[in-house]
Amino acid sequence: MSNRTRRKLLVANWKMHFLRASALDYLKVFRERVRAVMKTEIVLAPPFTLLEAVGREIRETQIKLAAQDLFYENEGAFTGEISAAMLKDLGCAYVIVGHSERRRLFGETDELINKKLQAALEADLLPILCIGETLEERRAGRTQAVLETQLRRALEGLAPSEKHLIAYEPVWAIGTGVNAEPAQAQESARFIRERLRSFLGEERAQDVRILYGGSVRVSNLESFLQMPDIDGALVGGASLDPVSFAEMVQQTERMVPS
Ligand code: PEP
């Protein structure tokens, strides 16, 4: 599969934003603006508290639902945690795993992320695995070593046939307004695909969609989507405005050959 045949995908990571009323206001604007979009895959990742309400509002549309995290056990005495089966029950198709904010603020390790990935796959959820280097690691010339380690440890034990997506998110670009240069993002995405080739084999590595995330906005999205190994974007801050996020979806749609 080439970058022309891997379906383009945009994911809105709402992080810890919106209450029910503001989420519904968002959807009123957003749904209308993306009604005609069919080639681009659109995914919304609201906080857990809004999954049900958002899921209900997008049920009859082409928009898909994602969770921002999960716990790896199916059920039991794990106060405060949410399982893959619970997310599936709410209609989630995707789940973000290993976001850098979870790694940095909540101490998530590659081992924990590996368990979460496995749990998501067992419940038939598509995991979006986030990996990326810090500024310190980039300056020390360790970007590829970090990506390689995060990828290898997260994917350990997974059958090559299991489907997942990778989001390349340099930590220094997330929420900072300082995006990676498209060529830098492509270099990392190409490296990730090359490593996937050795973990999963040539054919599967070509299938895996790789997203870029880190200060993506209307004015820079296209430059990332033009890169041969980048198949979409994970958008945080700029996805909180339904007009901006809809504009990004439309831009993507215009770039997809019919
Ligand atoms: C993110 O939340 O994954 C992200 C990339 O955020 P932002 O677009 O705000 O940098």
Side-chain angles (χ1 to χ4, degrees):
M1 208 179 265
S2 74
N3 67 324
R4 288 176 69 84
T5 45
R6 288 188 297 265
R7 190 168 179 213
K8 293 268 186 282
L9 172 89
L10 286 193
V11 184
N13 178 11
W14 287 2
K15 310 196 189 194
M16 197 173 73
H17 291 282
F18 296 135
L19 301 176
R20 275 178 301 175
S22 45
L24 294 183
D25 288 346
Y26 180 111
L27 290 172
K28 263 189 215 129
V29 175
F30 183 71
R31 270 189 329 201
E32 193 50 42
R33 287 174 182 253
V34 300
R35 194 179 293 279
V37 170
M38 289 300 155
K39 294 176 284 183
T40 303
E41 202 170 344
I42 310 167
V43 179
L44 297 180
F48 290 132
T49 50
L50 293 174
L51 284 173
E52 182 156 27
V54 172
R56 196 180 312 118
E57 293 297 312
I58 62 176
R59 192 171 300 146
E60 306 292 316
T61 74
Q62 81 287 34
I63 305 167
K64 293 182 182 153
L65 191 64
Q68 297 174 16
D69 187 27
L70 79 164
F71 189 57
Y72 59 81
E73 292 286 353
N74 218 25
E75 58 177 19
F78 303 102
T79 303
E81 294 298 329
I82 312 275
S83 74
M86 291 168 177
L87 299 179
K88 193 73 193 168
D89 191 42
L90 285 175
C92 288
Y94 288 88
V95 60
I96 298 171
V97 181
H99 191 281
S100 68
E101 285 152 16
R102 304 263 358 135
R103 293 179 190 253
R104 186 168 51 86
L105 301 171
F106 302 99
E108 292 204 1
T109 61
D110 290 322
E111 290 66 32
L112 177 69
I113 289 163
N114 174 256
K115 286 185 180 174
K116 290 186 172 191
L117 215 67
Q118 310 238 21
L121 290 166
E122 270 161 36
D124 204 21
L125 285 170
L126 266 172
I128 302 170
L129 168 66
C130 300
I131 59 174
E133 80 288 359
T134 62
L135 190 56
E136 205 180 17
E137 288 161 344
R138 174 164 282 269
R139 285 187 174 146
R142 298 187 49 234
T143 298
Q144 294 194 342
V146 169
L147 296 178
E148 148 98 36
T149 305
Q150 290 180 343
L151 200 59
R152 183 169 33 78
R153 291 189 179 154
L155 299 182
E156 208 167 306
L158 254 68
S161 57
E162 303 275 32
K163 283 201 169 155
H164 57 268
L165 290 81
I166 309 288
Y168 168 59
E169 299 210 301
V171 179
W172 47 273
I174 298 178
T176 59
V178 181
N179 55 279
E181 288 304 318
Q184 278 177 325
Q186 163 57 23
E187 192 185 350
S188 290
R190 187 200 50 74
F191 175 76
I192 289 166
R193 200 174 300 287
E194 184 190 300
R195 297 320 300 144
L196 288 174
R197 225 167 254 138
S198 78
F199 300 143
L200 311 173
E202 171 68 31
E203 204 176 316
R204 277 290 299 124
Q206 281 306 319
D207 278 0
V208 175
R209 285 180 292 174
I210 300 177
L211 313 178
Y212 167 74
S215 299
V216 173
R217 43 192 180 267
V218 170
S219 57
N220 63 20
L221 173 68
E222 265 190 62
S223 57
F224 291 106
L225 295 181
Q226 277 158 358
M227 298 293 124
D229 284 294
I230 296 178
D231 306 304
L234 179 48
V235 187
S239 76
L240 297 178
D241 174 2
V243 175
S244 291
F245 192 57
E247 171 59 27
M248 290 186 190
V249 170
Q250 286 156 1
Q251 269 185 14
T252 310
E253 187 76 352
R254 286 195 291 271
M255 290 179 76
V256 179
S258 7

